[in-house]
Amino acid sequence: MSFGDPNNPYGQQPQQPPQGQPGYGYPQQGQPGYGYPQGQQPGQPGYGYPQQGQQPYGAYPQAPGTLQANNGMINVHGLGTVQIATMGQRFLARLIDGVIISVLYFIAAAIGLAGAFNAADDIRDCSGIDPLTPAYETCVNESLNDSVEASSGFFMAFLGAMLILALLTLLYEWLMISFLGATVGKMALGLRVVRESNGQVPGLGGGFIRYIIPIVGAFLCYIGAVLVFLSPFFDNSGKLQGWHDRAAGTLVIKK
């Protein structure tokens, strides 16, 4: 008694398919195997899988201006995905710019004081003249006139220095933001101001709008300017746009 295949208890030999014809369960030549769509060969992606070079189903490119999930990143047209500058970085950049402007104000004030001291030296000294003589009265009158002229000269010199300094401050903030997208402080922190629409520098119009709004607020005992600089905290969009940024259509990003 011979023992055959345990799966074939009757010991019969399995029938072989005719020569040149596949058996059951085998795909014919030119046909896909079971589990593959018609006309699709093994090795090709099935339905529900993207072809090479295509994005997966359900994955859509982010539109410009779209914030990613609470990670401080935003998609800007022309720049791709960039990081929004934090308020701490912007504050440090503003602090550096403030130091630079304060140095300029100190220089202007020093020039004004030097002019005042020189004008004071030109006031006539009447101490060596007898107070009972007409010459003393004449000297006193001329000394008073010299004092008035010196005071007027000092005031005009100081006012002129402040106006020149204000103009330099305007040009510093306005032109650097307009053409470079950053002041010295922002450059030091690696920050840049760009248009939200295209990622380019703000230009003269956008740079001026962004500069002038805090200046207008400064006329209210500077409280308005402080509110403008703090306004990014009030931005619910997550872009940290201040009122001046919204008016100019700009964003502050980390390069």
Side-chain angles (χ1 to χ4, degrees):
M1 181 175 180
S2 62
F3 296 95
D5 186 358
N7 296 324
N8 190 3
Y10 298 101
Q12 297 179 356
Q13 297 292 330
Q15 295 183 356
Q16 300 294 330
Q19 186 71 23
Q21 295 184 4
Y24 295 105
Y26 296 90
Q28 296 184 1
Q29 185 175 5
Q31 294 184 354
Y34 295 106
Y36 294 93
Q38 183 71 22
Q40 184 173 333
Q41 298 298 327
Q44 295 182 350
Y47 295 116
Y49 295 91
Q51 299 291 332
Q52 184 175 4
Q54 295 182 350
Q55 293 187 352
Y57 296 106
Y60 299 94
Q62 291 185 334
T66 302
L67 280 171
Q68 297 185 2
N70 298 325
N71 59 0
M73 307 297 290
I74 187 173
N75 184 270
V76 179
H77 182 73
L79 297 178
T81 302
V82 295
Q83 180 182 357
I84 298 175
T86 66
M87 288 301 294
Q89 292 169 338
R90 294 171 69 166
F91 173 76
L92 290 177
R94 183 67 62 180
L95 186 62
I96 294 174
D97 290 331
V99 170
I100 294 174
I101 294 174
S102 297
V103 170
L104 295 177
Y105 271 98
F106 176 79
I107 294 174
I111 294 174
L113 289 176
F117 289 131
N118 290 331
D121 291 338
D122 293 335
I123 298 176
R124 297 176 185 271
D125 184 11
C126 302
S127 59
I129 302 177
D130 187 358
L132 299 178
T133 61
Y136 179 79
E137 184 178 357
T138 303
C139 180
V140 169
N141 291 333
E142 291 178 352
S143 177
L144 290 175
N145 292 333
D146 292 342
S147 298
V148 172
E149 292 178 359
S151 299
S152 300
F154 166 73
F155 176 77
M156 294 303 297
F158 186 79
L159 181 61
M162 291 298 103
L163 290 176
I164 293 174
L165 186 56
L167 179 61
L168 291 177
T169 304
L170 166 65
L171 297 178
Y172 170 79
E173 179 84 17
W174 176 29
L175 297 183
M176 292 194 73
I177 291 295
S178 298
F179 294 112
L180 301 179
T183 58
V184 174
K186 286 181 173 58
M187 290 179 183
L189 272 296
L191 307 183
R192 187 181 179 192
V193 180
V194 298
R195 292 182 184 175
E196 185 180 6
S197 59
N198 55 18
Q200 300 298 316
V201 295
L204 287 174
F208 182 77
I209 292 174
R210 195 176 186 277
Y211 171 79
I212 201 63
I213 289 180
I215 297 300
V216 173
F219 286 106
L220 301 175
C221 300
Y222 212 78
I223 296 177
V226 173
L227 290 176
V228 171
F229 291 134
L230 294 179
S231 60
F233 285 115
F234 313 141
D235 184 13
N236 295 327
S237 69
K239 301 176 184 179
L240 293 180
Q241 284 182 304
W243 299 333
H244 54 319
D245 285 314
R246 290 188 180 186
T250 57
L251 288 170
V252 184
I253 64 172
K254 175 75 173 177
K255 293 191 294 183

